[in-house]
Amino acid sequence: MINVTKTFLPPQKEYEAVLSRAWNTGWMTNRGVLVQELEAKLQTYLGTTNIIAMTNGTLPLQIAIKALGLKGEIVTTPFSYVATTSSIVWEGCTPVFVDVHSEYLTIDETKIEAAITPRTSAILATHVFGNPCDIEAIESIAKKHNLKVIYDAAHCFGVTYKGVSIFNYGDVSTCSFHATKLFHTGEGGALFCKPNYFETMYSHHNFGHDGPENFHSLGVNAKMSEPQAAMGLAVFPYMNTILEERKKVVDAYNNVFINSGLQLMKIREYTSWNYSYYPVIFKDENQLLKVKQALESVSIFPRRYFYPSLNTLPYIEKHTMEVSESISSRVLCLPLYVGLEQKYLKQIVDIIKESLI
């Protein structure tokens, strides 16, 4: 069975060796030495500061909205994973959708200002499949209207824009370390923020503690555990291999699909991409369903991702987003992971080519 992704697992003995350090002390959570070591390694590797490792990739979004004191409306994208929108609603704010670029798949910055009202407090945009938004335009709009900027950078581990980590843009950026991501801690995530927000974000992720006996703010439990950090530390030495292997799969797909008539995502200029996903966009939904059925008939499982367009969620006031709804109905992410054998890669490509005839 070939799934859209497969978790990269380091040798079990290597994971156990890292975990034994926590095991020997009996310190399994509450920001032990492994979490602190992982944060330090990631900070150096990514070229970032002010990182807070967390237990999943959704809580950083919710904490960012809470800690920034956002109210009213938040301008956002309908083409993302559901957590982007659900976090806004969960924190008592109203998502206001802006349609997306048909090529980059990120929020269309030329349509943002028209969506801003006196109730707007922030822009929450997604770097889709690791492909950056138009950061300069968004920052300019936010400054003009005195808005906060949060980037859902769940797919962006290792991505740089103009030589700078993508996590260094915006007031806050978030990342997912879910098992399906190219860097993972089994389940996990991280928040990156400007220095002046760090103490507030940190407090919010740790119950609002001010030392062991005092509290100075509202908080929740978003702390990463030591077993999670151990997985991240065991995966970390393989990052170059992971990126190289994923690039080989992407290059193989590109060799076939660049001139196939299928639409591929356009990577924004000045971006060092991380080969996080391989989306293909078909001419219509019927063509997509035909390909999907053909692949699944031989136990190959791509994913309709992102689907559906988030403006169609049942708890959202309905507004048409023509580009996002169209892309969502036609996009399919193909299998992409370390260890995807050439014979299966060829099978995937051949089935798609045959289905398009």
Side-chain angles (χ1 to χ4, degrees):
M1 184 169 65
I2 306 298
N3 288 313
V4 68
T5 190
K6 182 179 181 181
T7 300
F8 175 84
L9 292 174
Q12 187 172 341
K13 288 184 178 179
E14 294 182 14
Y15 172 67
E16 291 172 350
V18 179
L19 183 60
S20 68
R21 293 165 51 199
W23 203 275
N24 292 337
T25 64
W27 191 345
M28 288 290 118
T29 188
N30 290 340
R31 293 192 53 80
V33 293
L34 300 186
V35 167
Q36 294 178 54
E37 181 179 329
L38 179 64
E39 287 177 340
K41 283 183 177 292
L42 292 179
Q43 191 164 282
T44 300
Y45 177 81
L46 296 169
T48 62
T49 57
N50 303 307
I51 176 177
I52 306 172
M54 297 194 190
T55 194
N56 62 50
T58 302
L59 281 167
L61 288 170
Q62 296 174 356
I63 287 171
I65 294 169
K66 179 72 72 177
L68 293 175
L70 303 184
K71 305 291 183 183
E73 298 172 349
I74 297 177
V75 172
T76 191
T77 173
F79 192 70
S80 183
Y81 185 60
V82 67
T84 311
T85 294
S86 64
S87 294
I88 294 171
V89 177
W90 192 268
E91 293 301 326
C93 297
T94 302
V96 174
F97 293 106
V98 168
D99 216 338
V100 299
H101 282 285
S102 60
E103 293 182 315
Y104 298 116
L105 309 184
T106 54
I107 193 168
D108 188 342
E109 70 284 349
T110 67
K111 299 177 180 177
I112 290 176
E113 282 201 273
I116 294 172
T117 74
R119 297 187 68 241
T120 306
S121 59
I123 301 167
L124 200 174
T126 298
H127 302 307
V128 176
F129 305 131
N131 194 24
C133 303
D134 188 332
I135 293 167
E136 287 94 347
I138 291 173
E139 297 291 332
S140 176
I141 293 167
K143 184 176 182 180
K144 177 180 177 181
H145 295 274
N146 194 29
L147 303 176
K148 303 298 184 185
V149 176
I150 301 171
Y151 287 114
D152 183 339
H155 298 165
C156 288
F157 190 91
V159 173
T160 64
Y161 178 71
K162 293 189 174 180
V164 177
S165 172
I166 201 73
F167 299 136
N168 288 344
Y169 294 95
D171 294 290
V172 178
S173 285
T174 69
C175 189
S176 171
F177 298 159
H178 187 268
T180 58
K181 301 301 187 285
L182 57 92
F183 173 81
H184 74 94
T185 57
E187 179 72 84
L191 180 148
F192 305 81
C193 63
K194 290 182 176 178
N196 53 311
Y197 297 127
F198 181 80
E199 291 301 327
T200 301
M201 302 288 174
Y202 184 92
S203 176
H204 277 314
H205 107 292
N206 188 25
F207 294 110
H209 270 288
D210 180 16
E213 298 177 349
N214 298 313
F215 300 88
H216 60 63
S217 71
L218 181 67
V220 295
N221 182 12
K223 300 185 304 296
M224 177 178 282
S225 71
E226 291 292 89
Q228 287 176 301
M231 178 59 75
L233 288 169
V235 169
F236 186 78
Y238 293 93
M239 282 313 305
N240 286 341
T241 298
I242 290 169
L243 290 167
E244 289 169 3
E245 291 299 308
R246 295 177 74 97
K247 182 179 185 300
K248 288 179 183 177
V249 177
V250 168
D251 287 345
Y253 280 143
N254 281 343
N255 287 338
V256 175
F257 295 130
I258 278 183
N259 296 311
S260 68
L262 293 176
Q263 180 185 340
L264 306 180
M265 178 177 67
K266 183 178 180 180
I267 303 297
R268 196 173 295 278
E269 193 176 8
Y270 307 118
T271 299
S272 176
W273 190 50
N274 63 358
Y275 315 102
S276 52
Y277 292 85
Y278 196 86
V280 293
I281 302 169
F282 296 90
K283 67 177 182 180
D284 55 40
E285 189 172 21
N286 287 335
Q287 190 181 63
L288 177 149
L289 293 173
K290 180 182 178 183
V291 169
K292 183 171 180 284
Q293 183 178 22
L295 290 168
E296 290 178 350
S297 70
V298 292
S299 297
I300 298 171
F301 296 96
R303 183 178 178 188
R304 300 190 71 176
Y305 192 61
F306 302 110
Y307 178 82
S309 184
L310 297 179
N311 60 297
T312 66
L313 289 170
Y315 49 84
I316 298 298
E317 184 179 346
K318 300 298 184 291
H319 294 283
T320 299
M321 294 283 125
E322 291 184 2
V323 179
S324 179
E325 290 175 42
S326 174
I327 297 292
S328 289
S329 71
R330 297 183 289 123
V331 66
L332 196 66
C333 282
L334 302 185
L336 172 55
Y337 53 83
V338 175
L340 181 57
E341 296 180 43
Q342 283 295 319
K343 64 179 180 180
Y344 295 121
L345 191 56
K346 183 178 185 304
Q347 185 182 18
I348 292 165
V349 166
D350 287 345
I351 289 172
I352 294 174
K353 288 166 63 178
E354 291 170 5
S355 298
L356 294 178
I357 297 175

